[in-house]
Amino acid sequence: MESLNLIKPELLTLTSEQMTALMPYFWMMAGACLAIIGSVLQSMQPKWVVFVLSIASAFLAMVSTWNTLGHPPILLFNGMMVVDSYTRFGNLLFIASGVLTSLGAFRYLDREKIHLPEFHILVLFAVMGMMLMISSLDLIVLFIAFEIMSLCVYLLVGFRRSDRKGNEASVKYFILGGAASAVMLYGAALLYGATGSLNLSEILQYAVVGNDLSIIFVMGAWLMVVGFLFKVATVPFHMWMPDVYEGAPTPVTGFMTTGLKAAAFATFIRVILSLGYGRGMIESLQAQMHDLIWVIAVVTMLLGNIIALTQKNLKRMLAYSSIAHTGYLMVGLAAGGMGAPDYSSVLVYLVSYAIMNMGAFLTLTLMSGPNDEGLMLNDLSGMSQRRPWISFAMAVFVFSLAGVPPTAGFIGKYLLFYQAVQSGETLLVVIAVLCSAISVYYYLRVLVYMYMKDPQEAVGDQRVSLWSKVAIAFMVVLTLEIGLIPSGWIEAAKAAISHL
Amino acid sequence: MDWFNNHLLTFIVFFPLVWGVIGLLIPTTSGSGVRIYKNYVLFGTLLTFLASLVMLDRFETYGEEFQFVESMSWIPRFGIQYLLGLDGVSLWLIILTTFLMPIVILGSFESVEKRQKEFYFLLLLLQTGMLGAFVALDLFLFYVFWELMLIPMYLLVGIWGGKQRIYAAMKFFIYTMVGSLLMLVAIFYLAHQHHLLFGNYSTAILDLYRVHIEGGSWLAPQSLLFLAFALAFAIKVPLFPLHTWLPDAHVQAPTAGSVILAGVLLKLGGYGMIRFAFPLFPEAVAQYQMVFIGLGAIAIVYGAWVAMIQPDMKKLVAYSSVSHMGYVIIGLFSLNAIGVTGSVYQMLNHGISTGGLFLLVGMIYERRHTREISDFGGITKVMPLFAVVFLIVTLSSVALPGTNGFVGEFLILLGTWKASPLFAIIAGTGVIFGAVYMLWMFQRVMFGEITHPQNKELKDLSLREKAVMLPLVIAIFAMGVFPNFFFKKMEPSVERFLSRSISRPIERYDESAYSNLNTKKDVNHGIAQSH
């Protein structure tokens, strides 16, 4: 706390390296602020101004992140934030998911007659929150970033103002999310009380050195973990998820399953590592935490997959499948607690999952009719004959989600489970692959309807905007590319965790 | 040309896919466009067959263990390579695949009416998957091809199949998937052990052969790994009691699908045992030998019995597959040169004879739109040529001396006798039952009076259908009369297979039975040293 009492000049200025590291954040911030101004311009159609501004700023942010990819980690603001390769890796992912959400939502918002410029602005701010979250090394910054992201997403979920389901989803998410934030904040407070620091690296030092962890620390650690488990929606903290995913506008659901989940998970890894998990945490706590994650992984995979079997609504089905995929990611986390933690496979999985799931949701956006009609399995009957390309794209995503080679989903699973076997989690992996065998059934059912049933009357808008086409084609190519030539992605993930 | 010479296997594997992708550009909106497209596809598969004959010609029987090896780093971080190679066993399976493919395509010219473009494209994709699985020498690569086959087959059954097609396609996919996912875990484990032992990552099969995993009991790690592999392959073969997907898939699939399924896909189960499950886990093989021989024997007899009472011809042929593939299993698990050679031969035979039967059933189904045996009778009178061809294929299927089926089954029974006389006797009864159900079916369909008036109008084989059946008939006799030509090429590979798969610690057999077959050649000779 002494640092607050005396003014250190180095805290008030930024070196040029620090400025470079901050550029992506600056672009996003500038884009968002300009977009707010642009949205009130009377002379032009605000949706175009905002759309162009948000895409442009995201593009600039991506370029500036890309240019600094190899740079060493840079601490910012007295060690409250860090821009390292892990951050950069995450940032690229979040920005990309934000851009794709905006692209995919353009026609959708027109159709639903809710094309307010705020949509794109909220997406920008949410991405901004994610970027801050993954780069925070301080529990307060972490919490603020977390809230920036969450608040934007609460609003996005309820974006269909006149829709009852949308409202229900938004309120439900807001209340439960608020509770989770409170739990997490309480955990942060306890950690501060136990360690006397909010800084993650100092907390790590305490956790590793202190042979006798205080009960306060243990409680704080658990509460933090529970808060994150809620955000990533593992069983038993998953109750909110299917309703929210179903009620939210389809592109937003896509955004939540990719950007938001990746951000929450990536930050979760940073935080749980700083609590000493798998890094010399006191043994009893380490064992407990590992076992808990192990059990949660199993329950999450099982429940997600089994409930998904019974779903008739595609959006809801993908929501449950998303729970199941969280379970697979938890396998990676459980494995990380054993032996030498290596989370690169988790990162590859996050990227693969983000790509294929984003693709699936963008495709769903195109398939749906007004008010998200036409997302029941029955409505897909014979889709392959009416809309062959969209069906093909969906088929690729579905095979990828099911983990069939040569797609990104297979590579993700391969690396993740291989890593887990290397850490000695063979039993867990056996359970995981059996669960993914269950998942094959409901994923393939989508194909059954699209390809094997007789055609039905078309539902919904058959026009497809250029933006969506570009976005979906991009996702298809990436899904296959990761499946066939994954080496570059693996190396990138390895580089990303090197500073963790 | 230089590229072709150095990448012969890559060419054979990927040519069908590339050809198919290019073929998508041919417009098929008009009738003539469709005709051009079909002939284009047929021509492509003939080219692949020619390329495989070039390969046969260049294959050196006593050369390196794996020939035409191509290796390229794929995912260096985990030692995964694009590694292809060919030995005497996969050589014949490749030829079988490329040989059957033009026949299947020509056979589908008139039976497939809807969505033809997708149909032929999927067949070509399937061919790439199958060929790739036969030549992949890296477990990861093998797994990719292995799963890649599933997708087109699933769609072929599900889109162009019969009434219950969706159920059958789903069942097929999930059965195979469960097996292969457990195999995937075993692959992880194996690769991890290799890493622990040698310090580097690799999934190349020759590297993994060197990994020794603790075995010796029913549930030792090696035994569990073996079971994981064996489960995946046994489902594919399919071995009793994992065969239940097969009758459904066979009956519902379009003719082309049934032929490929019976002709090639099932062989991948046997091939997987030969290439992976046996040499990787020799002690576990010795442990479970009798269990699998027993299951194989049950499959033979059970398949035959169930086939006997089928009212539907296609289902009868499907159950006969269960029975015939049982021979392959007992031959392999007999673990001697005669039995294993017989098994490989039986795989080829089964591909040809059962493929032929499915084609013939398909032809008569196109005419009558029924496959019920009771709807026929006296067909010889209206379709004499059809009846002759049917008879030849049937006799090959019941293993009449002079046809290919005899050679395979005879060798297998001989080999099994050495391992277990009891099961050889049980399996031997399967030969009799096999003759019973096949000939009985033939009699009911072909002989007697024509009881159904519709049958009087049936046309005999058309020129196209003659062209489809002729190569099969030739193959049946050629393989029945000149088996040595085939045996000679696979002999060194079978010897190497046995030298790896017979576990030394457990001496169960008369060593002299095969010692003269074990040449002094260094078994690890080959690509293991080349990189």
Side-chain angles (χ1 to χ4, degrees):
Chain A
M1 281 300 114
E2 280 165 32
S3 58
L4 292 182
N5 295 331
L6 57 125
I7 294 166
K8 290 183 188 165
E10 70 266 22
L11 296 183
L12 299 176
T13 53
L14 288 169
T15 64
S16 65
E17 287 88 28
Q18 289 174 322
M19 278 304 282
T20 322
L22 275 175
M23 277 319 268
Y25 302 84
F26 168 76
W27 285 121
M28 292 303 278
M29 195 68 201
C33 293
L34 280 177
I36 291 176
I37 297 170
S39 65
V40 294
L41 289 180
Q42 296 290 325
S43 52
M44 283 178 280
Q45 262 203 338
K47 70 175 185 190
W48 277 106
V49 179
V50 171
F51 179 68
V52 169
L53 272 172
S54 67
I55 299 291
S57 63
F59 177 74
L60 286 170
M62 269 183 128
V63 170
S64 57
T65 312
W66 187 267
N67 285 339
T68 58
L69 268 185
H71 291 200
I74 291 163
L75 283 175
L76 293 158
F77 309 122
N78 199 22
M80 293 210 287
M81 262 176 73
V82 65
V83 176
D84 52 14
S85 49
Y86 189 65
T87 310
R88 294 185 187 111
F89 188 88
N91 284 356
L92 283 178
L93 181 62
F94 309 148
I95 300 171
S97 83
V99 169
L100 288 164
T101 308
S102 281
L103 287 177
F106 199 77
R107 174 63 59 82
Y108 175 88
L109 295 171
D110 278 344
R111 190 187 72 204
E112 301 285 318
K113 304 201 174 51
I114 46 169
H115 206 152
L116 305 172
E118 285 85 345
F119 185 90
H120 304 290
I121 298 171
L122 285 171
V123 170
L124 275 186
F125 272 115
V127 171
M128 179 83 194
M130 294 169 189
M131 291 164 65
L132 285 171
M133 196 161 107
I134 197 176
S135 54
S136 57
L137 280 185
D138 184 281
L139 289 176
I140 296 286
V141 178
L142 180 87
F143 182 73
I144 292 171
F146 200 87
E147 285 302 292
I148 294 177
M149 174 187 83
S150 299
L151 285 171
C152 295
V153 177
Y154 299 146
L155 288 171
L156 284 171
V157 168
F159 213 72
R160 290 186 301 168
R161 283 180 298 182
S162 50
D163 185 87
R164 278 188 55 194
K165 273 191 176 167
N167 280 318
E168 186 199 330
S170 184
V171 170
K172 197 178 245 176
Y173 189 32
F174 179 62
I175 293 174
L176 290 175
S181 297
V183 167
M184 205 175 184
L185 195 58
Y186 193 39
L190 288 178
L191 283 181
Y192 177 65
T195 64
S197 172
L198 289 165
N199 190 292
L200 289 182
S201 36
E202 282 169 33
I203 292 175
L204 174 64
Q205 273 170 15
Y206 175 88
V208 176
V209 175
N211 295 325
D212 198 19
L213 292 179
S214 65
I215 182 76
I216 298 181
F217 179 88
V218 173
M219 274 178 68
W222 277 117
L223 289 174
M224 272 315 265
V225 169
V226 167
F228 274 107
L229 289 180
F230 176 90
K231 268 295 167 200
V232 298
T234 60
V235 175
F237 309 107
H238 69 287
M239 300 294 188
W240 57 275
M241 192 189 201
D243 290 337
V244 172
Y245 276 18
E246 194 188 354
T250 315
V252 174
T253 315
F255 185 54
M256 289 176 72
T257 58
T258 57
L260 194 132
K261 181 179 239 168
F265 221 96
T267 316
F268 189 18
I269 289 176
R270 208 194 264 283
V271 169
I272 203 168
L273 277 179
S274 76
L275 295 174
Y277 177 71
R279 266 192 179 176
M281 185 191 256
I282 191 164
E283 251 170 59
S284 59
L285 183 57
Q286 165 79 34
Q288 276 174 19
M289 210 168 256
H290 170 263
D291 293 350
L292 183 90
I293 290 176
W294 200 97
V295 171
I296 284 183
V298 171
V299 182
T300 308
M301 289 186 295
L302 267 179
L303 210 73
N305 278 319
I306 289 174
I307 300 181
L309 284 177
T310 63
Q311 299 303 316
K312 295 258 184 291
N313 181 311
L314 221 56
K315 224 165 144 186
R316 242 184 131 75
M317 189 201 90
L318 281 176
Y320 280 106
S321 101
S322 169
I323 295 177
H325 282 273
T326 308
Y328 304 141
L329 285 164
M330 295 303 282
V331 171
L333 212 57
M338 309 279 285
D342 178 359
Y343 291 100
S344 64
S345 55
V346 175
L347 286 193
V348 174
Y349 195 87
L350 274 177
V351 172
S352 318
Y353 179 70
I355 288 171
M356 63 202 180
N357 219 37
M358 194 58 155
F361 272 100
L362 290 181
T363 320
L364 274 195
T365 313
L366 296 183
M367 288 173 171
S368 63
N371 285 320
D372 278 354
E373 295 289 318
L375 286 183
M376 304 306 279
L377 277 172
N378 247 330
D379 300 319
L380 299 183
S381 299
M383 171 87 76
S384 66
Q385 291 176 50
R386 267 182 300 157
R387 310 172 84 176
W389 286 107
I390 290 184
S391 305
F392 171 74
M394 196 64 184
V396 171
F397 299 135
V398 163
F399 275 125
S400 182
L401 284 167
V404 178
T407 57
F410 170 67
I411 294 292
K413 276 204 183 118
Y414 186 93
L415 297 177
L416 195 65
F417 294 162
Y418 186 28
Q419 194 76 60
V421 167
Q422 282 193 315
S423 309
E425 298 280 11
T426 314
L427 177 62
L428 186 57
V429 172
V430 170
I431 298 172
V433 295
L434 289 179
C435 285
S436 77
I438 298 175
S439 77
V440 167
Y441 180 76
Y442 61 82
Y443 286 130
L444 288 195
R445 209 162 46 171
V446 177
L447 287 186
V448 165
Y449 278 90
M450 286 197 310
Y451 280 89
M452 301 175 189
K453 300 243 173 177
D454 293 324
Q456 261 200 342
E457 276 298 296
V459 182
D461 190 357
Q462 299 289 320
R463 288 174 308 157
V464 177
S465 80
L466 178 66
W467 304 121
S468 308
K469 271 189 210 162
V470 171
I472 290 176
F474 189 55
M475 298 290 103
V476 170
V477 171
L478 275 183
T479 306
L480 295 175
E481 197 263 344
I482 298 182
L484 290 171
I485 325 167
S487 227
W489 297 86
I490 295 170
E491 295 307 317
K494 287 271 181 198
I497 58 154
S498 60
H499 296 313
L500 201 60
Chain B
M1 209 55 207
D2 207 35
W3 187 90
F4 176 78
N5 286 333
N6 294 329
H7 299 83
L8 189 58
L9 289 183
T10 302
F11 177 82
I12 292 176
V13 170
F14 287 101
F15 179 75
L17 180 61
V18 173
W19 192 258
V21 171
I22 297 171
L24 291 178
L25 302 173
I26 298 175
T28 49
T29 41
S30 65
S32 62
V34 173
R35 217 170 310 125
I36 291 170
Y37 177 71
K38 286 195 280 200
N39 287 309
Y40 165 88
V41 172
L42 178 66
F43 183 63
T45 51
L46 284 172
L47 283 182
T48 318
F49 180 55
L50 275 184
S52 69
L53 288 183
V54 171
M55 181 187 79
L56 174 65
D57 178 51
R58 290 190 192 165
F59 184 81
E60 293 165 34
T61 308
Y62 294 100
E64 304 254 299
E65 170 165 21
F66 289 109
Q67 304 184 17
F68 312 108
V69 172
E70 288 173 43
S71 138
M72 203 171 75
S73 186
W74 187 9
I75 309 176
R77 178 69 74 164
F78 294 98
I80 293 168
Q81 301 174 63
Y82 173 76
L83 186 61
L84 303 181
L86 189 80
D87 72 351
V89 175
S90 46
L91 170 77
W92 289 115
L93 291 166
I94 292 275
I95 304 253
L96 174 73
T97 311
T98 55
F99 171 74
L100 279 178
M101 212 60 191
I103 295 175
V104 163
I105 286 185
L106 190 61
S108 311
F109 267 24
E110 275 159 31
S111 59
V112 176
E113 276 151 11
K114 63 171 181 178
R115 300 163 86 179
Q116 308 200 14
K117 206 170 193 175
E118 290 101 319
F119 181 83
Y120 292 105
F121 175 74
L122 288 175
L123 278 179
L124 291 174
L125 176 63
L126 183 61
Q127 190 181 9
T128 289
M130 296 183 303
L131 292 173
F134 281 133
V135 293
L137 294 184
D138 183 287
L139 264 174
F140 181 88
L141 184 65
F142 170 76
Y143 189 83
V144 168
F145 280 123
W146 171 268
E147 295 272 286
L148 187 65
M149 297 179 314
L150 273 186
I151 301 173
M153 197 62 215
Y154 166 72
L155 292 171
L156 282 173
V157 177
I159 300 179
W160 290 274
K163 280 204 180 65
Q164 295 283 311
R165 60 182 190 273
I166 293 171
Y167 170 76
M170 236 12 174
K171 199 168 174 181
F172 163 74
F173 201 101
I174 289 175
Y175 255 80
T176 319
M177 197 76 183
V178 170
S180 35
L181 281 169
L182 287 175
M183 178 173 78
L184 187 63
V185 181
I187 293 175
F188 293 149
Y189 193 86
L190 204 58
H192 177 51
Q193 293 302 319
H194 179 271
H195 182 222
L196 287 183
L197 273 173
F198 298 100
N200 63 328
Y201 286 102
S202 176
T203 43
I205 186 68
L206 281 177
D207 289 340
L208 293 179
Y209 282 161
R210 295 185 295 162
V211 177
H212 179 261
I213 290 165
E214 186 200 335
S217 71
W218 292 98
L219 290 175
Q222 192 183 122
S223 304
L224 292 177
L225 291 178
F226 169 72
L227 286 180
F229 271 78
L231 178 70
F233 299 135
I235 288 175
K236 205 77 163 189
V237 165
L239 181 63
F240 177 87
L242 302 166
H243 65 281
T244 56
W245 64 269
L246 181 102
D248 287 311
H250 264 328
V251 172
Q252 298 305 326
T255 302
S258 305
V259 177
I260 292 294
L261 198 57
V264 187
L265 248 62
L266 305 190
K267 307 309 162 318
L268 271 154
Y271 171 77
M273 296 265 187
I274 294 174
R275 177 72 71 242
F276 303 106
F278 277 57
L280 283 171
F281 315 111
E283 290 167 43
V285 171
Q287 192 87 38
Y288 281 94
Q289 183 186 24
M290 283 304 145
V291 176
F292 277 82
I293 291 187
L295 287 175
I298 294 175
I300 293 171
V301 176
Y302 168 86
W305 284 355
V306 178
M308 221 178 287
I309 54 157
Q310 293 304 320
D312 180 309
M313 278 193 259
K314 209 170 178 186
K315 218 163 186 165
L316 186 146
V317 180
Y319 275 105
S320 83
S321 279
V322 175
S323 179
H324 284 290
M325 292 306 285
Y327 287 107
V328 174
I329 292 292
I330 59 169
L332 287 179
F333 277 89
S334 69
L335 283 181
N336 53 53
I338 299 176
V340 172
T341 311
S343 277
V344 177
Y345 210 59
Q346 173 77 356
M347 291 208 272
L348 306 176
N349 296 335
H350 177 258
I352 287 168
S353 61
T354 307
L357 282 173
F358 275 122
L359 282 166
L360 289 164
V361 172
M363 285 171 190
I364 202 157
Y365 179 77
E366 279 164 47
R367 289 170 169 75
R368 278 282 272 120
H369 294 284
T370 174
R371 290 186 296 251
E372 296 287 313
I373 294 173
S374 55
D375 283 342
F376 297 97
I379 299 295
T380 354
K381 294 187 179 112
V382 284
M383 301 172 75
L385 189 58
F386 177 81
V388 170
V389 176
F390 206 124
L391 182 65
I392 293 170
V393 181
T394 303
L395 290 178
S396 149
S397 179
V398 301
L400 187 81
T403 63
N404 56 354
F406 172 73
V407 185
E409 286 186 11
F410 182 72
L411 288 181
I412 289 172
L413 291 178
L414 212 60
T416 312
W417 182 268
K418 289 186 179 176
S420 155
L422 172 68
F423 285 121
I425 293 170
I426 296 175
T429 62
V431 180
I432 302 167
F433 292 128
V436 171
Y437 66 78
M438 285 309 291
L439 294 177
W440 190 34
M441 185 262 278
F442 187 80
Q443 179 207 342
R444 282 180 292 167
V445 172
M446 294 298 171
F447 298 141
E449 292 302 310
I450 297 180
T451 46
H452 295 266
Q454 303 100 305
N455 290 342
K456 286 186 180 147
E457 308 295 315
L458 294 179
K459 287 198 183 65
D460 208 347
L461 294 182
S462 67
L463 184 64
R464 179 182 62 85
E465 287 164 338
K466 284 177 200 156
V468 169
M469 294 313 296
L470 184 68
L472 291 174
V473 172
I474 293 173
I476 284 171
F477 287 120
M479 289 179 70
V481 180
F482 306 109
N484 263 335
F485 173 68
F486 298 87
F487 290 158
K488 220 176 76 191
K489 297 249 182 203
M490 61 174 98
E491 194 187 310
S493 300
V494 170
E495 282 162 19
R496 286 196 189 93
F497 163 73
L498 284 171
S499 70
R500 289 204 178 98
S501 309
I502 293 171
S503 145
R504 294 298 164 195
I506 302 173
E507 297 290 352
R508 198 173 280 185
Y509 305 107
D510 181 12
E511 192 79 20
S512 62
Y514 50 80
S515 60
N516 57 337
L517 293 168
N518 285 336
T519 51
K520 301 292 168 281
K521 242 170 252 150
D522 179 14
V523 289
N524 276 324
H525 194 65
I527 54 173
Q529 292 160 359
S530 69
H531 59 240

